[in-house]
Every structure is written in C-alpha cells, then in structure tokens.
Amino acid sequence: MCQTRGMHEREQEIMAQALELAEQAGVQGDVPVGALVLRQGEIVGRGYNRREQDSDPCAHAEIVALREAGRALGTWHLEDCELYVTLEPCTMCAGAIVSARIGRLVFGAWDAKAGAAGSVRDVVRDGRLNHQVEVLGGVCNNECAALLRRFFRE
C-alpha cells in the first residue's frame, strides 16, 4: 500500500495492485512496470512489461493490459474504462491509450525522459487528436519510483 494517504485513497489502493504486477516484471528481468484496466471498478485487464519474456518490443505493461481488456470486453472501445499504470506512459503507449478511447489514466511515477502524459509531451490530452484522456499523475509516486530505481541499481 502506498504510504501517502489522502484524497486519492481509491487510486492508491488500485496502484498498490499495479505495483504487485510491476514486481513480476522485475522478477522476469524486465523494467518493473505494471498496469490494470478497470471498468466500473472491476479489473478487466492486467499487464506487466513482457518485452524480455516475449521478445516483443511492444509488450509494454499498458499494451498487454489493453489487449486483455479488449478481449475480455469483446471490443477495442474502452471509453468507459480507466487505466492504472505505475509509470507515466511512453509515446507508443499514450497513442494506444488514445486509440482505445480510455476515459481516465492514473499513473504513478513521472518519466522525465520519455513520458507522454504531461512531462516530456502530452499525447493523451492533445486537442488535435480525436480523443483526450482525463489524467491523474503521481499516485504512489514514491513507491513506483523506488521500485524502478532499485531495478536499475541492481
């Protein structure tokens, strides 16, 4: 559970579950990022980075979770869904989030090098695109960032 308690308690509880998925990625030798897709409070998609495991450059946690959610719901239209991810999405994942019409994105650690949800660029809220996503960043930031730092230090 995230140490910071407060106004985003529900988001912190869900992010703690995404952190557990991120740890699985780390055990597999991949960058520890985890993601969950929720619809009406129910988890419909789970994912963690599987690039090394699957030899797939596109197997980011968000993509894996979006694919699982699409299969579970029988549609790629995920406008009534929320995506929780432990790291701010990259440009590829931000594009997939927009394409899937995700309604809300909640992420943990900011990515000052490759983030595309408000730090380096803001693909998910770009008004030139056909869909914009509600964004809440920095949920459980300390825990998410610490997991990444530990992985790269080791």
Side-chain angles (χ1 to χ4, degrees):
M1 184 69 68
C2 301
Q3 294 176 359
T4 308
R5 307 302 292 165
M7 76 186 266
H8 299 293
E9 194 163 321
R10 173 185 173 270
E11 287 83 0
Q12 292 172 350
E13 290 172 6
I14 297 166
M15 192 62 72
Q17 294 177 57
L19 273 163
E20 291 175 13
L21 289 169
E23 290 173 1
Q24 290 181 37
V27 168
Q28 299 292 329
D30 215 324
V31 178
V33 178
L36 293 165
V37 178
L38 283 83
R39 180 178 182 212
Q40 299 173 350
E42 179 185 341
I43 297 171
V44 295
R46 291 176 175 79
Y48 57 85
N49 274 357
R50 297 177 55 99
R51 295 174 307 164
E52 297 295 336
Q53 186 176 349
D54 295 352
S55 299
D56 181 353
C58 296
H60 288 204
E62 300 94 324
I63 303 296
V64 173
L66 289 170
R67 286 176 175 159
E68 185 173 294
R71 284 191 299 271
L73 298 173
T75 183
W76 61 269
H77 287 275
L78 304 177
E79 51 273 292
D80 57 348
C81 294
E82 300 175 293
L83 173 65
Y84 284 75
V85 61
T86 58
L87 179 64
E88 179 183 5
C90 69
T91 302
M92 176 184 71
C93 292
I97 291 164
V98 170
S99 292
R101 313 292 197 272
I102 288 288
R104 183 168 185 248
L105 166 65
V106 179
F107 67 85
W110 293 88
D111 187 345
K113 292 182 180 178
S119 62
V120 177
R121 49 189 72 76
D122 200 352
V123 173
V124 295
R125 292 180 285 200
D126 188 328
R128 296 169 293 184
L129 300 176
N130 61 339
H131 178 75
Q132 289 80 48
V133 180
E134 178 187 337
V135 177
L136 175 60
V139 173
C140 300
N141 177 64
N142 293 341
E143 292 81 0
C144 294
L147 181 60
L148 289 160
R149 279 193 303 274
R150 270 195 312 274
F151 176 79
F152 285 112
R153 194 169 42 243
E154 293 171 5

